[in-house]
Amino acid sequence: MNELLEILEEERSMMNELVRSATEQQSALILLKAEELERIAGHQSELLAALQQKEISRWKYIGAQLGISAKEASQVALSSLYPFLGMNSYEDFRALQTDLSALLSEWQSLNSTNRVLAFRARTSVKEILSFFSESDTRVCNVVV
């Protein structure tokens, strides 16, 4: 099960990076840094693809160890693997499981906040554009 611990450790590292990236995204949304948002979104897409591949690797490993298909392994909760762990691995596994759960919650919270910020920014831009385009407003003596 050491290979499973290595896979989970890599997943934890990727989740840490996703949380850091979502925090950067939040800052870029607040400061309206469009070019930074584009870079961050690309980085997040790459991280999510890599994380998905790592998750598939975990399913295949669990499936091979338990003699089930990868699809069935995708339904196996990490906590149900405790009986298959040696005493040396138990604490490490438990710590990884706890960390992954906390990181997932933090990432979901950041994403929810970022969606709200993005929606508000989009709404503000629409309102500004409609103000200038639907009125007889002059800016620097030019009709907009």
Side-chain angles (χ1 to χ4, degrees):
M1 286 283 179
N2 284 339
E3 188 176 335
L4 178 60
L5 291 174
E6 290 172 18
I7 292 170
L8 290 172
E9 181 62 46
E10 290 171 8
E11 285 186 58
R12 178 173 61 179
S13 175
M14 291 177 187
M15 284 299 299
N16 271 321
E17 182 64 22
L18 276 173
V19 167
R20 189 191 62 72
S21 182
T23 303
E24 279 182 34
Q25 186 179 40
Q26 194 170 85
S27 177
L29 282 165
I30 291 168
L31 300 173
L32 298 173
K33 294 183 176 181
E35 57 282 339
E36 193 70 14
L37 285 170
E38 192 173 322
R39 181 194 62 78
I40 292 168
H43 181 64
Q44 285 178 342
S45 292
E46 291 171 7
L47 277 171
L48 287 171
L51 186 59
Q52 185 177 23
Q53 289 304 312
K54 192 53 64 181
E55 189 173 35
I56 290 169
S57 296
R58 176 171 38 96
W59 296 340
K60 287 179 180 177
Y61 178 79
I62 291 171
Q65 293 298 310
L66 300 180
I68 58 177
S69 71
K71 184 177 181 180
E72 291 172 319
S74 71
Q75 304 298 316
V76 173
L78 290 178
S79 58
S80 67
L81 298 176
Y82 287 138
F84 302 101
L85 298 171
M87 289 305 287
N88 297 341
S89 308
Y90 181 79
E91 288 302 319
D92 293 335
F93 186 81
R94 188 164 173 80
L96 283 168
Q97 181 188 15
T98 302
D99 288 351
L100 284 168
S101 179
L103 286 167
L104 181 62
S105 293
E106 185 177 359
W107 184 59
Q108 288 173 332
S109 175
L110 285 165
N111 278 341
S112 293
T113 302
N114 289 351
R115 274 193 295 279
V116 169
L117 289 170
F119 177 76
R120 286 183 181 171
R122 187 176 65 221
T123 302
S124 295
V125 168
K126 283 181 181 178
E127 288 175 3
I128 291 167
L129 291 175
S130 75
F131 172 77
F132 284 120
S133 64
E134 295 175 3
S135 65
D136 225 4
T137 307
R138 292 183 171 267
V139 178
C140 298
N141 293 326
V142 176
V143 176
V144 181

